Amino acid sequence: MRDIFRLAKRPGMTTRSGRRRSRWILILLLIALVVVANQSIPLYIDWLWFEAVGFSSVLLTILLTQGLLALLWGGICFTILSLNLFLVHRSPATDVLIELEDHLGLPGRFILERYTKRFLLPVTGALSLLAALQAIDQWGPVLRFLYPTPFQVQDPLFHNDLSFYIFHLPFFNFLYQSLMTVLVLSGLLTALAYIPYRGIQITGQGLRFSRWARNHLLCLIGALLFLKAWGYHLSTYDLLTSPRGVVFGASYTDQFATLPALRALTVLAVLCGALAVTRIWWERLTPFLLGLATLIGVAVIGQMVYPSLLQRFRVAPNELDLETPYILRNIHFTRTAYGLGQIEEVEFPADENLSLADLRKNELTVSNIRLWDPRPLLATFAQLQEIRTYYKFVDVDVDRYRLNGRTEQVMLSPRELSTDHLPSRGIWINEHLTFTHGYGAVLAPVNRVSPEGLPVLYIKDIPPVSSIPLRISRPEIYYGELGNEYVFVNTGSKELDYPAGGENVYTTYQGKGGVPVGSLFRKALFALRFRDFRILFSQEIVPESRVMLYRRVGERARKVAPFLRYEPDPYLVIAQDGRLFWILDAYTTSDRYPYSEPTRQVGNYIRNSVKVVVDAYHGSLSFYVSDPTDPLIQTYGKIFPGLFQPLEAMPLDLKAHIRYPETFFAIQAQKYATYHMKSPQVFYNKEDVWSVPRRQGEKDVPMEPYYTIMKLPGGKTEEFILLIPFTPARKDNMSAWMAARSDPPHYGTLIVYTMPKQKLVYGPRQIEARLNQDAFISQQLSLWGQRGSQVIYGPLLVIPIETSLLYVQPLYLAAEQQSLPELKRVIVAYGNQIAMEETLDRALARVFSKTPLLATPGPSPTPRIPSSIRELANKALEQYHKAQEFLRQGNFAGYEVEQRRLAETLKLLRENAAALP
């Protein structure tokens, strides 16, 4: 009866367990559906976006590569794991008596086998899925491996073309690490699986292995050792990027100690793998254990002990002699990797024979000396031209334009919309439908100042008003450096164009930017993508509406070409037809260039190979190749045909505004400060290391490169130049200056002008020290500070003119209560002459007319010598009171004049005190 009762209960029990299983399957399916939807909806929106910008082939290439990698590598992983588990399952049953000796107390094999199968299958699937997801991120190395471009340069140690290290070696390393991970996991999973199958048992005599299990695990160990041999072989190539020696790259110790050890380990690992496999037929375990011990011993001695002893007792006492070939390699490859090999060095005499006639001859250079620094100018633009709280100036960029028949350097800043500063923050319609774009820009010359000390604005206000032939015809900025996640245009809601007095002017977007909303299905997908169901239920969003996303210039370019690195600061250009465009510099980089000294967060190879142009209204992107000789950009051109265009295809009005990027130039200058030394002995002893001068102030920071318009020594016409000076390490005198040319046909040419070593040439820090020590200048700055004003020091600019150096530093004054910096003084230093005046012209006239600093500007009559000391004292007291009255009124110009008169009176008093009654 009990058996019948059990049989009667089984169907119900089966039904309940089946329901439970169905419930769990349903839950898992729902979770999988949510995960897939969470990934597929953004992917579909991205596909629509790529189609809208015309680069769907780029996304398709990446997705196909990722999909094939996931399937291929996930399949390989699943096959390897499944094959090993299948072999476990096929293992013959062990003796029952041995099962009784199992100290773990597990049930019999046939009882556990059913549950083991259920457990191992999902584990295998999960591990394969993780492997597939890991492989997805390797689409870049895989594509570069498939489309390599030769560098036509071989490394001096292994004589491989450098493309092997840039394109092939990263893929091989990925393959090796992935296979090693899969084999290790297979070994662990196989060993665990053999325990319930009784292939491995824990008995009173220790671990017991069945013959099948032993042979299987030995095969896995052999495969691991064969793979490790390949790993040792790959490690030999890593010596070319070794940081261990006196310079980066393979050193004497690497070549004559580590390299032979790695080659020996490669052979030993193969032999050990063979011994592990032959152990299947050969019962003796001793040869394999001896081989394994030898492998470990050679690894420890050959990779740690012997290299350390060789370095200490052979290399260190003779380091320069032994390391000279490797120092030469490091110098050569570092200069090549950073584009320093083509730099032309020219001696610059740094004479002090500059005259007013020379200044007139270089009038275009002098008239373009930058008096406005971007930081205080940005604050001034914000006070004068933001107009509404939701408009912001993010950055000020330096560029040049052809105005009225001459090249003029200008400061340009776009007026962008900041949704974070909307007065009605949090209202969805305002943030995503009404306030959609910035408006216009402000343009000012670099050296013109109003009587109030403010910049003269060539283009200003809303709508843009221009006092020069350059006009802005399409002032709307939908794509810029600011921008929220998305906006909808062409909606039923009014879109603010610009404020006009007490009323606002509204507009409808007429461009091609954004993704069409189209159907209700797409509208629902956009709502899911942005996790905002107001999109779905909004009556303002109609099928003709367009959604703009990825609106920031850097983010937009990075979305299309994520394999490039980008300049952090794009700059705005006004085209001839008045449209606004952004230009963004992009770089190809690598950290696998042999012997090249690396730069933090960059790698050890860099080229400015691409110029990206983004239309501020339509959002269209164009990628122009600026360095077609770069093998990396040639490879990317093969991978993504149609993505890049030659620089010659760029419109001429935009091409006239390309400039040498500051970040790239700063990296090159940093490297050249050391790698201008070509002699291995000088390099080893660091005899002639340069450094970038540091600015004095609250933050002792290096000088930044700066743009200027000047005529290079020996040049015929003025050019747009990026410039930075050098000083000797731990010294302040000038040693050289580097210039990068930006104008065609010399774009990208670097020239270094070196100072005579036997001559003292003042550096920027020494000039700043002289300015701080000047009694009159220090007095003026102290008085301004006492009146509750903040003195802002502009950058000290080194301006080469003819064969001389001119130093110019602007000074700004800002009230502490409000930030409206005004240009108050310009300091000019040349040779031993220093002048501080209200304008650059007056300061230059003071310096080059040899007028003493404290003399009153302009002609003045010979002062009459008073008849008594009392008369002089009364006159001095009167001048002092006048000066204090001017100071109370805030009339600094009048105060300065009276201070000069007071100084003259006191000078007369000192010179004639003995002769007067």
Side-chain angles (χ1 to χ4, degrees), residues 46-56 479 512-515 549 556 560 618-622:
D46 283 349
W47 174 261
L48 295 177
W49 182 82
F50 270 88
E51 278 192 324
V53 296
F55 294 112
S56 57
Y479 303 90
K512 306 172 185 176
V515 178
L549 58 158
R556 197 170 181 82
V560 174
H618 297 285
S620 59
L621 295 103
S622 299

Side-chain angles (χ1 to χ4, degrees), residues 6 141 159 244 256 376 394 401 405 449 599 623 648 799 850 886:
R6 286 176 181 172
H159 307 291
R244 180 165 49 189
F256 292 100
V394 180
Y401 286 83
V449 187
T599 298
F623 293 79
E648 292 73 22
I799 309 295
K850 310 302 182 186
F886 281 131

Side-chain angles (χ1 to χ4, degrees), residues 683-697:
F683 186 94
Y684 176 80
N685 293 320
K686 300 292 187 286
E687 297 176 19
D688 192 24
V689 177
W690 297 343
S691 64
V692 175
R694 305 185 74 83
R695 293 182 57 182
Q696 291 183 349

Side-chain angles (χ1 to χ4, degrees), residues 102 119 138 181 242 305 314 637 717 739 753 852 899:
D102 183 13
F119 171 74
Q138 299 300 318
T181 302
S242 166
V305 178
R314 176 79 173 95
T717 58
Y753 295 88
Q899 283 290 101

Side-chain angles (χ1 to χ4, degrees), residues 381-391 393 415 460-462 499:
F381 281 172
Q383 291 290 324
L384 300 178
Q385 283 290 306
E386 281 186 352
I387 299 177
R388 292 290 189 272
T389 58
Y390 45 80
Y391 287 129
F393 293 103
R415 186 184 291 106
K460 60 181 180 179
D461 296 342
I462 298 178

Side-chain angles (χ1 to χ4, degrees), residues 451-735:
E452 298 81 15
L454 299 175
V456 173
L457 303 181
Y458 282 169
I459 298 178
K460 60 181 180 179
D461 296 342
I462 298 178
V465 176
S466 177
S467 60
I468 54 175
L470 189 65
R471 299 283 189 272
I472 297 179
S473 61
R474 179 61 78 182
E476 300 90 345
I477 301 176
Y478 285 89
Y479 303 90
E481 294 183 81
L482 291 180
N484 54 358
E485 187 179 9
Y486 66 93
V487 294
F488 285 90
V489 295
N490 291 351
T491 64
S493 178
K494 289 184 177 180
E495 184 183 339
L496 175 71
D497 198 21
Y498 61 87
E503 298 182 356
N504 292 328
V505 176
Y506 295 91
T507 187
T508 300
Y509 181 69
Q510 302 294 327
K512 306 172 185 176
V515 178
V517 172
S519 64
L520 181 63
F521 175 70
R522 277 196 187 182
K523 193 175 179 182
L525 290 180
F526 286 128
L528 290 171
R529 166 65 176 82
F530 298 115
R531 291 178 171 83
D532 195 333
F533 283 94
R534 285 173 289 192
I535 297 173
L536 179 62
F537 299 117
S538 174
Q539 299 298 319
E540 308 292 340
I541 300 175
V542 295
E544 293 75 21
S545 300
R546 307 175 76 90
V547 57
M548 294 182 176
L549 58 158
Y550 305 124
R551 300 173 61 212
R552 299 187 181 186
V553 174
E555 176 190 29
R556 197 170 181 82
R558 199 172 290 110
K559 190 68 180 176
V560 174
F563 43 85
L564 299 176
R565 294 200 180 201
Y566 294 90
E567 185 82 7
D569 179 27
Y571 60 98
L572 192 71
V573 171
I574 305 174
Q576 283 185 349
D577 59 1
R579 293 192 296 156
L580 301 178
F581 293 89
W582 295 94
I583 296 182
L584 178 64
D585 285 281
Y587 308 101
T588 53
T589 60
S590 175
D591 59 357
R592 305 296 306 180
Y593 202 88
Y595 290 102
S596 175
E597 185 73 25
T599 298
R600 184 181 300 176
Q601 297 180 345
V602 173
N604 62 359
Y605 174 89
I606 183 170
R607 287 291 186 272
N608 174 218
S609 298
V610 178
K611 305 284 185 182
V612 185
V613 176
V614 180
D615 191 314
Y617 185 74
H618 297 285
S620 59
L621 295 103
S622 299
F623 293 79
Y624 299 99
V625 176
S626 55
D627 186 0
T629 63
D630 173 32
L632 270 170
I633 203 62
Q634 292 177 30
T635 288
Y636 289 131
K638 298 175 190 175
I639 297 171
F640 304 104
L643 174 59
F644 300 107
Q645 304 177 56
L647 191 61
E648 292 73 22
M650 181 184 289
L652 292 178
D653 54 343
L654 297 181
K655 193 175 179 181
H657 294 279
I658 63 172
R659 64 186 193 185
Y660 205 84
E662 293 178 75
T663 299
F664 187 35
F665 185 70
I667 292 172
Q668 289 179 306
Q670 176 195 357
K671 291 302 175 187
Y672 197 77
T674 301
Y675 284 90
H676 70 277
M677 299 180 289
K678 299 178 184 178
S679 166
Q681 183 170 356
V682 174
F683 186 94
Y684 176 80
N685 293 320
K686 300 292 187 286
E687 297 176 19
D688 192 24
V689 177
W690 297 343
S691 64
V692 175
R694 305 185 74 83
R695 293 182 57 182
Q696 291 183 349
E698 295 181 4
K699 296 182 179 179
D700 192 27
V701 295
M703 285 184 65
E704 299 173 350
Y706 53 91
Y707 294 100
T708 187
I709 291 178
M710 59 170 285
K711 186 190 297 181
L712 289 172
K716 296 180 180 179
T717 58
E718 283 78 5
E719 304 178 43
F720 192 57
I721 297 294
L722 184 58
L723 185 147
I724 196 167
F726 291 110
T727 61
R730 295 180 294 278
K731 291 186 179 180
D732 294 329
N733 59 290
M734 181 93 81
S735 58

Side-chain angles (χ1 to χ4, degrees), residues 217-218 221-222 225 268-269 271-279 282 284-295:
L217 292 175
L218 282 172
I221 292 172
L225 287 168
L268 283 172
L271 291 175
C272 288
L275 287 173
V277 175
T278 56
R279 173 70 176 81
W282 196 9
R284 295 185 61 188
L285 189 61
T286 306
F288 170 69
L289 294 178
L290 285 175
L292 203 58
T294 304
L295 180 67

Side-chain angles (χ1 to χ4, degrees), residues 39 293 363 575 911:
Q39 296 296 322
E363 185 272 336
E911 293 174 350

